[in-house]
Amino acid sequence: MIFSQIHALALVELFGVLAFAFTGIIEARKKGMDLIGVYTVSMITAFGGGTVRDLMIGHYPLYWVQHSGYALMLLGFAIAAAPLSAVFYENSIITKVFVTLDALGLGLFSTVGASMAHQVGCDFYISILLGVVTGVFGGIIRDIICNEIPNVFRRNELYATCAALGSAVFLICLYFGIDELPSTLVAIAFTTALRIISIKYRVKLPF
Amino acid sequence: MIFSQIHALALVELFGVLAFAFTGIIEARKKGMDLIGVYTVSMITAFGGGTVRDLMIGHYPLYWVQHSGYALMLLGFAIAAAPLSAVFYENSIITKVFVTLDALGLGLFSTVGASMAHQVGCDFYISILLGVVTGVFGGIIRDIICNEIPNVFRRNELYATCAALGSAVFLICLYFGIDELPSTLVAIAFTTALRIISIKYRVKLPF
Amino acid sequence: MIFSQIHALALVELFGVLAFAFTGIIEARKKGMDLIGVYTVSMITAFGGGTVRDLMIGHYPLYWVQHSGYALMLLGFAIAAAPLSAVFYENSIITKVFVTLDALGLGLFSTVGASMAHQVGCDFYISILLGVVTGVFGGIIRDIICNEIPNVFRRNELYATCAALGSAVFLICLYFGIDELPSTLVAIAFTTALRIISIKYRVKLPF
């Protein structure tokens, strides 16, 4: 049972990385970047948030440095997806699939970020902040490189807010003595559900 | 006497953080950002310079990670100030107050940055550079996120120059055997005075 | 013989730093920045790539922090070159000289980056990536500060690709038991030649 939960988490991670990278590929192609740009932006979108978090708490080695398989996989993904990105972008079914995977990835990444911050002794509020950083800073750097004001700061839906509340749910679960693994699954489910509801019903912050 | 000087420094820090955050709130609102954007930009403006300095010298834990009270306080400040930022911006008295507090903050932050660099063994010139980084990089990242060329690079007044000369004054005081605390106070007074004079008389670099 | 090779490398480093700084000065002046902006952008262009690499592998102290002579030299260079940058920019011979020095610097910086990553235990692919980061991230940050989409992502010539292949050549030389120094020289020659060929014959990525 625990094994299958861990396998499920590995799958969520894979899907999340691909979905985050996908948004990077789309944005980079929209700006007319070549393969180098597409690959760099997809790597930064997928691993930028975790990298910023690791720099903030001094955690080494970085995830993508240690797991070079992901970096190679995204190279293949960029080569395959870059010429087709316009097709992807216009296909509403593919877009919906990737928005859902992105929501799953947001849940996993922010939960893992909050967990790592908590483990190195950050308090409740800073752990939430670092959870949000892990979930959203890849996209922020993507938008800065693409010369746009970060999308996450002007969305008409909730995004960073889902990451913040999901991180809080995770930490509260831990506080009540629930194990790391089930707490993670609850937090991912919560974040993903909130994100999808906010898209569907156009929930946004009052200001 | 020393105690009251330390209390004065704590007050200067509080005012400086608020003034730096305030410029972030103003810029973020001008760009139409929501609360998430306003809060993130205000945090980065207030703590970005110190964070970059800490990354440059490998100093952990980061200030805002360790003092989570500030992060929470700025959340309250962002919630309170964001809807009112247009009023603030148009009120010339409030603006003048914040420009003065900003000058005080610039003096404190660059002095503290130069001091920390000096303590870990950086030489005179690099300590000045890291003092300037501490004082101005928060504003640089704020402007990059807001999709503007950093203000500090095109001001019609002196800003980074005040931080550089203030840091130099601090290090020279130390060199002549003056204690850390009075050196800090002298450097803050010098930086603030220079900054206010440069605004009043429109002093700027020759090129 | 080895001594003269080391001297040659020191010269390549000096020329590379100047060439990278020069592109920063040109871009900063085009954007109307003052001396502070010109100096900051030139420093970031010259040392940004190595700094990002060092942050990625947790390597301290940073190169420019330890070798403050370079930081001071670039201050002099910025003061001397900033008012003249328009002249430089329009002079095709000076531009050609600096493009060649830039190619040499790209070769050296990416090789050194790949070497440092290899030494701390990164595998083949990540070492190449960190070689590329060292060679090109200074320019990326320069363009982000200057509010442009990074040039390296939309060039009509090969740039990052030269750094990647040069880093690979270096690591393959090491793998076949060739010493660090001759491997470095071979990799620099390869990178520089490829870069100049790609400019001359307008070689670019297929997409």
Side-chain angles (χ1 to χ4, degrees), chain A residues 57 59 112-122 127 170-171 174 180:
Chain A
I57 60 176
H59 176 268
V112 168
S115 170
M116 287 177 64
H118 177 72
Q119 277 167 36
V120 299
C122 298
S127 297
F170 170 77
L171 294 168
L174 283 193
E180 177 96 10

Side-chain angles (χ1 to χ4, degrees), chain C residues 6-207:
Chain C
I6 292 175
H7 286 150
L9 282 188
L11 257 189
V12 169
E13 182 179 87
L14 175 63
F15 287 149
V17 165
L18 285 176
F20 274 45
F22 183 73
T23 68
I25 291 172
I26 297 282
E27 287 306 312
R29 288 302 281 184
K30 274 194 203 163
K31 298 290 177 175
M33 292 186 193
D34 66 5
L35 182 61
I36 298 289
V38 167
Y39 179 50
T40 309
V41 174
S42 73
M43 279 288 288
I44 286 176
T45 311
F47 296 111
T51 299
V52 171
R53 176 209 57 222
D54 285 346
L55 292 179
M56 296 298 115
I57 59 176
H59 176 268
Y60 289 98
L62 302 182
Y63 194 81
W64 60 271
V65 168
Q66 203 170 18
H67 300 82
S68 63
Y70 269 127
L72 260 172
M73 186 190 76
L74 286 194
L75 178 61
F77 189 50
I79 293 173
L84 301 168
S85 71
V87 180
F88 285 163
Y89 187 65
E90 280 157 19
N91 186 314
S92 67
I93 294 173
I94 292 178
T95 302
K96 267 188 190 165
V97 169
F98 271 99
V99 165
T100 311
L101 295 180
D102 184 271
L104 275 169
L106 180 69
L108 175 67
F109 298 152
S110 23
T111 306
V112 168
S115 170
M116 287 177 64
H118 177 71
Q119 277 167 37
V120 298
C122 298
D123 69 11
F124 182 76
Y125 186 61
I126 297 294
S127 297
I128 291 179
L129 283 191
L130 287 170
V132 177
V133 163
T134 310
V136 310
F137 257 69
I140 290 175
I141 307 176
R142 173 199 66 211
D143 294 343
I144 290 175
I145 291 180
C146 291
N147 212 0
E148 300 281 350
I149 291 187
N151 201 18
V152 69
F153 295 156
R154 52 191 338 178
R155 280 182 192 265
N156 294 316
E157 316 121 14
L158 303 181
Y159 194 85
T161 310
C162 305
L165 295 179
S167 299
V169 164
F170 170 77
L171 293 167
I172 290 168
C173 286
L174 282 193
Y175 181 77
F176 282 109
I178 302 173
D179 282 345
E180 178 97 9
L181 193 55
S183 299
T184 302
L185 297 174
V186 167
I188 294 175
F190 177 87
T191 310
T192 309
L194 185 62
R195 171 83 183 117
I196 288 172
I197 288 170
S198 92
I199 296 173
K200 201 172 168 81
Y201 297 101
R202 300 190 157 277
V203 183
K204 54 178 178 175
L205 291 175
F207 61 86

Side-chain angles (χ1 to χ4, degrees), chain A residues 7-203:
Chain A
H7 285 148
L9 281 188
L11 257 189
V12 169
E13 182 180 88
L14 175 64
F15 288 148
V17 165
L18 285 175
F20 274 46
F22 183 73
T23 67
I25 291 171
I26 298 282
E27 286 307 312
R29 288 301 283 184
K30 274 195 203 162
K31 297 290 177 174
M33 292 187 193
D34 66 6
L35 182 60
I36 299 289
V38 167
Y39 179 49
T40 308
V41 174
S42 73
M43 279 288 290
I44 287 175
T45 312
F47 297 110
T51 299
V52 171
R53 175 209 59 221
D54 285 346
L55 293 178
M56 297 298 114
I57 60 176
H59 176 268
Y60 289 99
L62 302 181
Y63 193 80
W64 59 272
V65 168
Q66 204 170 16
H67 299 83
S68 63
Y70 268 127
L72 259 171
M73 185 190 77
L74 286 195
L75 178 61
F77 189 49
I79 292 173
L84 302 169
S85 70
V87 180
F88 285 163
Y89 187 64
E90 281 157 18
N91 186 313
S92 68
I93 295 173
I94 292 179
T95 303
K96 267 188 191 165
V97 170
F98 272 98
V99 165
T100 311
L101 296 180
D102 185 90
L104 275 168
L106 180 69
L108 175 66
F109 299 153
S110 25
T111 307
V112 168
S115 170
M116 287 177 64
H118 177 72
Q119 277 167 36
V120 299
C122 298
D123 69 12
F124 182 76
Y125 186 62
I126 297 295
S127 297
I128 291 179
L129 282 191
L130 287 171
V132 177
V133 162
T134 310
V136 310
F137 258 69
I140 291 175
I141 308 177
R142 173 198 66 209
D143 294 343
I144 290 175
I145 291 181
C146 292
N147 212 0
E148 301 281 350
I149 291 188
N151 201 17
V152 69
F153 296 156
R154 54 192 337 179
R155 281 182 191 262
N156 294 316
E157 314 121 16
L158 303 181
Y159 194 84
T161 310
C162 306
L165 296 179
S167 299
V169 165
F170 170 77
L171 294 168
I172 290 167
C173 285
L174 283 193
Y175 180 79
F176 282 108
I178 303 174
D179 283 343
E180 177 96 10
L181 194 53
S183 300
T184 302
L185 296 174
V186 167
I188 294 175
F190 177 87
T191 310
T192 309
L194 185 61
R195 171 81 184 117
I196 288 172
I197 288 170
S198 92
I199 296 173
K200 201 171 169 79
Y201 297 100
R202 301 191 157 275
V203 183

Side-chain angles (χ1 to χ4, degrees), chain B residues 187-205:
Chain B
I188 293 175
F190 178 87
T191 309
T192 308
L194 185 61
R195 171 82 184 117
I196 288 172
I197 289 170
S198 92
I199 295 172
K200 201 170 169 79
Y201 297 101
R202 300 191 157 274
V203 183
K204 55 179 178 174
L205 292 175

